[in-house]
């Protein structure tokens, strides 16, 4: 019986192609959100308003929300693969990769189900009645403490990474946190001053979601390069 050598198939992920694809989709969603905002706030055509909300960044359970959740899920899947590879090599950093994989999976579900929004009411009660300014979205208070705790936890892990990977991860984290917490604080101030329909709040809300997407894409870039 003759034996045949069948060449193994290797799947190669080109980091540049991956990032171009994700960035291209993000740009299209941004343009659609801007167009949707104009339709919703500047036109009287109510039948178009419901369509525009499908692409509006500052809205839940629409196309940008699902795309953001998929980005976070993709990051979690890549992190899971890296975790198994690190475990196979008996790496001391395996616990950090596992925590990241679980964390991004939770963030993906949170993007869809908005678990963090449930912190608003109890935190608002602690702040008492009245205008809270930058703390209008009061979930950012525990959010800041969580970010600080995670920074301490991952400090040693980051130091041990290759300099380029470390720089990419830090850039991704700063970009993402600037959106989800930084602009959330700023948006809270302007929503109390001018209302949810004000142009300045819409700009803040759109920039917030854009920075979150950009941060995850940069992180995915770093992960794909690392895994390669």
């Amino acid at each position: 019986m003759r034996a045949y050598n069948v060449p193994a198939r290797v799947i190669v992920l080109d980091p540049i192609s991956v990032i171009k694809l994700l960035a291209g989709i993000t740009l299209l969603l941004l343009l659609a959100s801007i167009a949707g905002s104009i339709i919703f706030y500047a036109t009287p055509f109510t039948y178009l308003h419901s369509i525009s909300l499908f692409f509006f960044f500052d809205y839940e359970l629409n196309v940008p929300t699902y795309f953001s959740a998929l980005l976070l899920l993709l990051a979690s899947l890549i992190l899971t693969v890296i975790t198994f590879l690190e475990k196979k090599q008996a790496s001391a950093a395996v616990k950090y990769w596992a925590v990241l994989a679980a964390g991004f999976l939770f963030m993906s579900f949170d993007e869809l189900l908005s678990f963090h929004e449930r912190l608003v009411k109890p935190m608002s009660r602690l702040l008492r009645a009245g205008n809270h300014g930058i703390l209008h979205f009061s979930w950012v208070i525990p959010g800041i403490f969580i970010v600080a705790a995670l920074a301490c936890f991952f400090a040693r892990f980051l130091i041990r990474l290759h300099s380029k990977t470390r720089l990419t991860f830090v850039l991704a984290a700063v970009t993402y946190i600037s959106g989800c917490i930084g602009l959330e604080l700023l948006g809270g101030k302007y929503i109390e001053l001018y209302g949810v329909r004000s142009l300045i709040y819409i700009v803040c809300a759109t920039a917030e979601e854009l920075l979150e997407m950009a941060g995850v894409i940069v992180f995915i870039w770093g992960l794909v390069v690392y895994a390669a």
Side-chain angles (χ1 to χ4, degrees):
M1 192 173 183
R2 185 176 296 178
Y4 294 93
N5 291 324
V6 180
R9 291 186 177 183
V10 179
I11 299 175
V12 179
L13 281 178
D14 178 18
I16 295 178
S17 298
V18 172
I19 297 308
K20 282 184 177 180
L21 175 62
L22 298 178
I25 295 173
T26 302
L27 178 60
L28 290 175
L29 289 176
L30 174 63
L31 295 175
S33 178
I34 293 172
S37 300
I38 294 171
I39 292 171
F40 188 84
Y41 291 106
T43 67
F45 305 115
T46 54
Y47 63 91
L48 291 176
H49 291 177
S50 58
I51 298 175
S52 67
L53 291 176
F54 278 110
F55 300 97
F56 188 26
F57 272 19
D58 190 36
Y59 202 72
E60 303 297 332
L61 297 178
N62 58 4
V63 177
T65 301
Y66 293 131
F67 178 67
S68 293
L70 285 174
L71 283 178
L72 293 164
L73 181 60
L74 176 59
S76 177
L77 291 174
I78 300 173
L79 284 163
T80 301
V81 172
I82 293 174
T83 300
F84 281 111
L85 293 174
E86 294 285 335
K87 185 177 181 181
K88 190 175 181 180
Q89 296 176 4
S91 170
V94 66
K95 66 176 181 180
Y96 296 105
W97 293 108
V99 170
L100 282 170
F104 272 82
L105 181 61
F106 174 80
M107 289 165 65
S108 178
F109 282 108
D110 180 62
E111 186 68 27
L112 292 174
L113 303 175
S114 298
F115 296 131
H116 65 278
E117 296 290 347
R118 299 179 185 180
L119 297 173
V120 172
K121 287 185 177 179
M123 293 308 303
S124 295
R125 284 195 292 267
L126 289 176
L127 294 173
R128 299 182 181 179
N131 292 335
H132 301 141
I134 61 173
L135 297 179
H136 176 82
F137 301 109
S138 52
W139 71 266
V140 297
I141 299 173
I144 291 171
F145 284 104
I146 291 172
V147 168
L150 289 174
C152 294
F153 177 77
F154 285 106
R156 182 178 296 181
F157 167 72
L158 286 171
I159 291 171
R160 293 179 177 177
L161 288 174
H162 186 275
S163 59
K164 288 185 178 179
T165 303
R166 180 170 62 249
L167 179 62
T168 304
F169 285 6
V170 170
L171 177 62
V174 170
T175 303
Y176 187 87
I177 295 168
S178 296
C180 71
I181 292 183
L183 284 176
E184 188 85 336
L185 291 169
L186 195 61
K189 175 183 177 180
Y190 288 121
I191 200 173
E192 287 193 349
L193 287 175
Y194 307 113
V196 71
R197 288 179 174 267
S198 65
L199 177 61
I200 191 167
Y201 172 71
I202 296 169
V203 170
C204 284
T206 302
E208 175 193 335
E209 297 298 327
L210 181 62
L211 283 176
E212 289 181 17
M213 291 180 189
V216 180
I217 290 173
V218 171
F219 187 60
I220 291 173
W221 156 269
L223 293 176
V224 172
V225 172
Y226 181 87

